[in-house]
Amino acid sequence: MAFISMRQLLDHAAEQGYGVPAFNINNMEQLLGIVAAARKTDAPVIIQASRGARAYANDLMLRRMVEAAVEMNPGIPIALHQDHGDTAATCFSAVQNGFTSVMMDGSLESDGKTPSSYEYNVAVTAKVAEASHWVGVSVEGELGCLGSLESGMAGEEDGSGAEGKLSHDQLLTDPVQAADFVAKTGVDALAIAIGTSHGAYKFSRKPTGETLAIERVKQIHAKIPNTHLVMHGSSSVPQEWLEIIRKYGGDIKETYGVPVEEIQQGIRHGVRKINIDTDIRLSMTGAIRRLMATRPEEFDPRKFLAAATVAAKDVCKARFEAFGCAGQAERIRPLPLDVIAARYAAEDSRRAA
Ligand code: G3H
Ligand code: 13P
Ligand code: ZN
């Protein structure tokens, strides 16, 4: 089986009413854990790499690892996605390196920190969508800034995110503007701001409707029912892994993530792609700390990394099951990207007629 187009995968998820986790990778163990879980549950998956991941692991290494995963798991549809592309150049270099999907995050300027103007976001995202679609590559845009509705602070702590204090309007995607954005850019999927943020510190207590605006998902979905919605910052920050990290010497303060039940609500209202990085990081860190502490004589890194891989696999398996993605792999036949490109071209000429 070949790589799958993210658009084809999310269309299938929409038809069948499930959500697809998009897991971040930076190294082989993360990929092995994710793919083992996908195989175990017969789930399709989106593997994504941030700019940081590409710099860390090298494009060629990442691409070849994911190609190997595809070859070794012919029954599992896998999309390879650029997470938070900051410029059109980043997105096109990902396409050049074999990614089948890109995110143009034009909600921020090209410094990846400053909230951009709406006009800039539309222009840069439309440019990326037009050219990516020529070669069958799917495109995700973002409208609104990730950050905390609790504190009003932007989510700058990790990878990609605005800096400083944001207004309530910036922190919540506007449904009417979302419809205009999708019409003007032609994106396949739209990342929305609803109070989630990247990293481990999302909420200081279990979120409520005030701090995690699932109602807003419903309003956006009602306006753009045919656009696949994306929830970023969707790690659930498992308390059991936090306890293990603390028990074995780690320093993680009290914090809460996005409850799986809230994500399931989102899936009932048009969320099709759910971004998860932190949960894998936390589980791997916990597993490594525990093994190092309980087996101080051990010095073979494979032992630590194998334990970390199992921990990542367990987290991913639970998400595939919770999002209704388990069992869906055998129901999808990935189409070649040139067939997908022809579909975009046909859509364009229908619109122009
Ligand atoms: O966008 C956020 C992801 O968690 C990626 O983070 O830039 O540290 O790889 P990163
Ligand atoms: P988490 O930090 O919640 O895992 O979010 C990851 C993400 O949104 C990557 O784009
Ligand atoms: Zn993100």
Side-chain angles (χ1 to χ4, degrees):
M1 192 175 284
F3 282 101
I4 189 168
S5 134
M6 187 175 81
R7 172 63 184 270
Q8 187 194 350
L9 178 50
L10 299 186
D11 282 352
H12 185 264
E15 274 161 33
Q16 303 297 322
Y18 66 95
V20 185
F23 294 120
N24 288 73
I25 63 157
N26 297 267
N27 64 25
M28 184 183 75
E29 285 74 16
Q30 291 171 326
L31 179 62
L32 290 178
I34 295 162
V35 169
R39 208 173 38 233
K40 183 96 188 149
T41 54
D42 190 40
V45 65
I46 299 167
I47 302 286
Q48 57 187 9
S50 66
R51 284 184 303 123
R54 290 176 61 190
Y56 175 80
N58 182 290
D59 281 334
L60 184 60
M61 192 66 90
L62 277 178
R63 165 73 187 179
R64 292 280 159 87
M65 282 196 307
V66 183
E67 273 174 359
V70 169
E71 202 175 320
M72 290 158 69
N73 299 279
I76 302 298
I78 297 177
L80 177 56
H81 177 77
Q82 163 78 59
D83 190 25
H84 292 285
D86 57 342
T87 60
T90 297
C91 293
F92 294 125
S93 76
V95 175
Q96 205 170 25
N97 280 288
F99 286 56
T100 60
S101 178
V102 295
M103 175 186 193
M104 178 61 236
D105 182 357
S107 69
L108 303 171
E109 287 180 9
S110 58
D111 62 0
K113 293 180 189 323
T114 313
S116 65
S117 70
Y118 180 66
E119 292 68 30
Y120 167 85
N121 194 358
V122 167
V124 72
T125 307
K127 174 155 96 179
V128 170
E130 183 183 30
S132 301
H133 287 173
W134 290 334
V135 289
V137 165
S138 324
V139 177
E140 172 184 344
E142 175 162 328
L143 188 61
C145 292
L146 296 194
S148 165
L149 289 167
E150 228 178 332
S151 63
M153 293 307 286
E156 65 167 305
E157 78 166 73
D158 207 348
S160 164
E163 276 180 341
K165 196 110 178 151
L166 295 174
S167 72
H168 215 252
D169 280 356
Q170 287 173 302
L171 289 166
L172 281 174
T173 302
D174 176 61
V176 174
Q177 198 175 49
D180 185 66
F181 185 81
V182 168
K184 286 184 172 143
T185 59
V187 289
D188 302 282
L190 182 67
I192 53 175
I194 54 166
T196 65
S197 50
H198 293 137
Y201 296 100
K202 301 181 192 302
F203 305 103
S204 66
R205 57 183 72 88
K206 219 169 166 265
T208 63
E210 294 296 300
T211 52
L212 175 60
I214 295 294
E215 274 309 308
R216 187 53 70 110
V217 176
K218 299 181 189 171
Q219 293 158 3
I220 298 168
H221 181 54
K223 283 270 175 226
I224 43 171
N226 299 323
T227 301
H228 305 305
L229 303 181
V230 184
M231 276 175 67
H232 280 246
S234 290
S235 278
S236 301
V237 188
Q239 295 297 315
E240 58 275 24
W241 278 115
L242 299 186
E243 276 157 32
I244 291 168
I245 293 173
R246 291 180 191 124
K247 179 169 174 193
Y248 295 106
D251 180 11
I252 304 261
K253 311 276 180 286
E254 184 179 5
T255 177
Y256 297 86
V258 181
V260 166
E261 314 81 71
E262 299 295 328
I263 298 172
Q264 289 169 327
Q265 272 268 58
I267 292 170
R268 284 194 277 278
H269 297 279
V271 170
R272 299 292 159 228
K273 174 173 182 274
I274 301 105
N275 281 19
I276 297 173
D277 184 353
T278 298
D279 283 353
I280 292 180
R281 295 182 182 194
L282 289 170
S283 64
M284 292 179 90
T285 295
I288 290 171
R289 280 190 175 279
R290 182 168 56 191
L291 203 131
M292 284 191 162
T294 53
R295 305 240 305 264
E297 75 291 355
E298 192 55 74
F299 62 89
D300 179 348
R302 289 174 299 185
K303 299 291 186 336
F304 311 128
L305 296 172
T309 303
V310 171
K313 182 186 100 182
D314 291 346
V315 165
C316 296
K317 182 171 172 288
R319 300 296 177 272
F320 282 127
E321 285 164 350
F323 301 164
C325 197
Q328 299 290 347
E330 64 166 12
R331 305 169 73 179
I332 310 172
R333 290 285 154 269
L335 295 166
L337 287 194
D338 53 349
V339 173
I340 302 289
R343 285 188 177 179
Y344 286 124
E347 250 173 58
D348 280 352
S349 26
R350 259 197 310 276
R351 224 174 290 123

